[in-house]
């Protein structure tokens, strides 16, 4: 078993996620999006829009400003000249993933049918035939939202008693059918999901593909390994939320035996690690990036702390008086280290990117961090079509940042 120190492991992880690459000098195109997708493999979706929706940030973090429609068109628009690149499914959480990867989750669809079927059918027992009716209506009307389906099926405003978030019975049915692969997202209007049949969204050859469960899980583990570069088995398992753990452990062992993963002992890591044989370790990583709370580099908080020494928790659900750093905090990556964090809000009415709090990590060179952060915030504001950046007074980095922005 080979050995590595944590600094090497960090550079490997950053390179695997695309942060060792220089940003493009010209216009960002679909070719750049494909390159990022080849590295990160999936993009998490989240509805919070206090600064920018989560699925737009990973591309910006890696390549800088890009046309607003680039991700939308790749995910929710299809034409013969520019085919759809991404499809939605439960991958890490709700995620956009390459269209060709959809069949790799048929095992999960079957798992959901077993685990959720009883629960959903219990919730829907007062509406016999609703699942079939929803499918038939989507076939006639799709892509279509749950609200329109309620009207079409004559149950507008009907609510399931108890259950998940008290959603309507139709919404329950749509989410169940999405989970088991009988519906997918045809497009979105704003952030509203419009359901359609997967055979109308996916290319025929993709929809017809069936992969054995063990082969699919091994392939997802392989993808997780390339996205991480170096990782523990638990890290690899978390990337696509593979359960139960025995599935992941078996896949890792098979990839080790095949020579695709190399066992590594990383200094300071309590668990054994595995390095993908194609992973590279650049001598240094330069550049800067603001990271969404849902960026794949940092979404596994224990891994983030292990690699970067950076304790990070999202505080959206923490009562405001108990928040330490703020509501929606972006870690700041500079030359391969997480050196600070900023609580951001896009004030669209005023045309401002507001820094509600700015915090430096212990031991960093505050003047340089403030200068680099200010520059990146200005790039982000311009990308979001905001006129200026305004920093408030909260946080250890705030005075230096305010001085640079003044």
């Amino acid at each position: 078993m080979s050995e590595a120190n944590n600094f090497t492991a960090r550079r490997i992880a950053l390179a695997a996620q695309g942060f060792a690459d220089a940003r493009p000098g010209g216009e960002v195109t679909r070719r750049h999006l494909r390159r990022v997708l080849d590295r990160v493999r999936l993009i998490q979706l989240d509805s919070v829009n206090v600064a920018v929706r989560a699925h737009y940030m990973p591309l910006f973090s890696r390549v800088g400003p890009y046309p607003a429609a680039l991700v939308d068109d790749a995910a929710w628009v299809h034409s013969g000249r520019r085919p759809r690149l991404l499809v939605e499914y439960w991958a890490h959480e709700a995620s956009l993933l390459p269209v060709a990867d959809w069949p790799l989750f048929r095992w999960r669809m079957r798992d959901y049918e077993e685990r959720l079927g009883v629960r959903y059918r219990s919730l829907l027992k007062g509406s016999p035939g609703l699942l079939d009716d929803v499918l038939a209506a989507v076939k006639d009307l799709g892509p279509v939202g749950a609200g329109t389906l309620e009207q079409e099926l004559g149950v507008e405003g009907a609510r399931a008693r108890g259950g998940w978030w008290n959603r309507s019975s139709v919404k329950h049915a749509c989410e169940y059918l999405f989970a088991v692969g009988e519906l997918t997202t045809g497009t979105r209007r704003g952030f509203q999901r419009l359901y359609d049949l997967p055979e109308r969204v996916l290319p025929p050859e993709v929809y017809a593909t069936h992969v054995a469960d063990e082969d699919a899980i091994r392939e997802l583990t392989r993808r997780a390994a390339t996205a991480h570069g170096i990782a523990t088995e638990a890290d690899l398992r978390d990337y696509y939320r593979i359960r139960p753990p025995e599935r992941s452990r078996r896949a890792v062992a098979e990839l080790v035996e095949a020579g695709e993963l190399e066992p590594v002992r990383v200094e300071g890591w309590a668990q054994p690690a595995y390095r993908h044989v194609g992973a590279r370790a650049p001598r240094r990583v330069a550049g800067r990036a603001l990271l969404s709370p849902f960026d794949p580099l940092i979404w596994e908080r224990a891994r983030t702390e292990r690699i970067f020494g950076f304790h990070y928790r999202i505080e959206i659900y923490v009562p405001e008086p108990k928040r330490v750093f703020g509501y929606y905090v972006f870690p700041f990556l500079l030359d391969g280290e997480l050196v600070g964090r900023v609580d951001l809000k896009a004030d669209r009415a005023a045309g401002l990117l507001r820094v509600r709090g700015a915090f430096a990590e212990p031991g960093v060179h505050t003047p340089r961090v403030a200068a680099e952060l200010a520059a990146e915030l200005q790039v982000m504001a311009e990308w979001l079509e905001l006129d200026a950046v305004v920093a408030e007074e909260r946080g250890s980095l705030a005075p230096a940042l305010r001085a640079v922005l003044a």
Side-chain angles (χ1 to χ4, degrees):
M1 179 182 292
S2 61
E3 297 189 4
N5 62 44
N6 195 55
F7 298 106
T8 301
R10 183 188 304 169
R11 295 197 304 273
I12 293 171
L14 287 163
Q17 283 281 312
F19 288 105
D21 301 337
R23 288 184 174 180
E27 180 184 2
V28 176
T29 66
R30 184 171 274 215
R31 176 174 61 88
H32 298 100
L33 173 59
R34 286 181 185 272
R35 185 173 183 182
V36 170
L37 290 171
D38 285 344
R39 295 189 183 281
V40 303
R41 301 307 309 177
L42 74 160
I43 298 171
Q44 188 171 333
L45 291 160
D46 189 78
S47 61
V48 176
N49 195 28
V50 66
V52 58
R53 292 201 193 276
H55 59 282
Y56 296 118
M57 273 302 295
L59 184 59
F60 174 79
S61 299
R62 288 157 178 80
V63 303
Y66 64 89
L70 189 60
V71 172
D72 289 347
D73 289 351
W76 299 302
V77 178
H78 175 82
S79 69
R81 188 173 64 87
R82 296 172 68 83
R84 179 192 301 262
L85 294 181
L86 298 165
V87 67
E88 291 185 36
Y89 192 61
W90 294 104
H92 181 74
E93 293 288 337
S95 303
L96 293 168
L97 57 144
V99 165
D101 287 3
W102 190 84
L104 296 175
F105 293 91
R106 289 190 185 273
W107 62 274
R108 175 164 290 161
M109 296 170 193
R110 289 191 293 273
D111 281 0
Y112 280 147
E113 189 166 13
E114 290 180 12
R115 291 194 296 110
L116 301 180
V118 173
R119 183 175 188 177
Y120 269 103
R121 291 180 192 281
S122 174
L123 287 168
L124 301 172
K125 65 183 179 183
S127 306
L130 181 58
L131 294 175
D132 291 336
D133 289 347
V134 166
L135 282 172
V138 172
K139 183 176 181 179
D140 289 343
L141 301 172
V144 61
T148 300
L149 287 170
E150 286 180 351
Q151 298 172 31
E152 180 69 17
L153 297 174
V155 291
E156 182 178 9
R159 296 283 163 180
R161 293 185 180 277
W164 295 354
W165 304 103
N166 199 29
R167 293 176 178 176
S168 71
S169 296
V170 170
K171 182 64 175 176
H172 275 302
C174 289
E175 288 300 293
Y176 171 73
L177 292 167
F178 180 90
V180 302
E182 293 191 55
L183 291 180
T184 189
T185 304
T187 188
R188 282 186 180 259
R189 184 181 298 124
F191 199 64
Q192 180 195 12
R193 177 184 285 161
L194 303 185
Y195 297 94
D196 207 343
L197 304 178
E199 56 265 41
R200 295 200 298 222
V201 171
L202 300 166
E205 66 276 11
V206 172
Y207 182 68
T209 297
H210 290 264
V211 184
D213 291 6
E214 288 189 3
D215 293 340
I217 290 166
R218 184 170 56 253
E219 185 57 38
L220 291 174
T221 304
R222 180 183 289 114
R223 280 159 162 68
T226 61
H228 274 322
I230 190 168
T232 65
E233 180 274 325
D235 293 338
L236 297 174
R237 186 193 331 147
D238 176 76
Y239 208 74
Y240 289 102
R241 298 291 169 86
I242 294 172
R243 297 185 182 95
E246 290 74 18
R247 283 171 157 169
S248 170
R249 292 169 189 152
R250 182 167 54 249
V252 168
E254 290 169 352
L255 292 171
V256 170
E257 185 177 357
E260 297 183 54
L261 293 183
E262 174 194 6
V264 180
R265 183 181 294 108
V266 180
E267 181 183 355
W269 291 24
Q271 300 299 320
Y274 301 89
R275 176 175 177 169
H276 189 272
V277 293
R280 63 190 183 97
R283 296 183 64 180
R284 62 186 299 267
V285 175
R288 66 190 187 217
L290 286 160
L291 303 175
S292 158
F294 303 104
D295 191 286
L297 180 68
I298 59 168
W299 65 28
E300 213 304 292
R301 309 308 188 201
R303 175 178 168 85
T304 301
E305 191 161 359
R306 185 188 336 126
I307 293 179
F308 293 97
F310 187 88
H311 180 81
Y312 179 54
R313 299 292 185 271
I314 191 165
E315 298 182 84
I316 290 175
Y317 305 110
V318 176
E320 186 171 1
K322 296 184 178 181
R323 290 178 195 145
V324 178
F325 296 108
Y327 181 78
Y328 203 76
V329 173
F330 289 69
F332 183 50
L333 178 70
L334 181 62
D335 294 344
E337 297 184 35
L338 293 175
V339 296
R341 56 191 96 198
V342 282
D343 180 19
L344 297 181
K345 176 181 174 62
D347 185 344
R348 294 169 179 87
L352 299 174
L353 181 59
R354 296 191 181 277
V355 183
R356 305 178 72 179
F359 304 84
E361 288 299 287
V364 303
H365 183 58
T366 300
R368 179 164 184 260
V369 170
E372 294 285 354
L373 176 58
E376 189 66 6
L377 288 167
Q378 288 165 337
V379 172
M380 183 176 178
E382 184 176 350
W383 173 58
L384 295 176
E385 299 182 341
L386 300 172
D387 299 324
V389 180
V390 175
E392 298 177 9
E393 297 180 358
R394 190 169 62 89
S396 59
L397 188 57
L401 181 62
R402 285 165 58 86
V404 175
L405 292 170

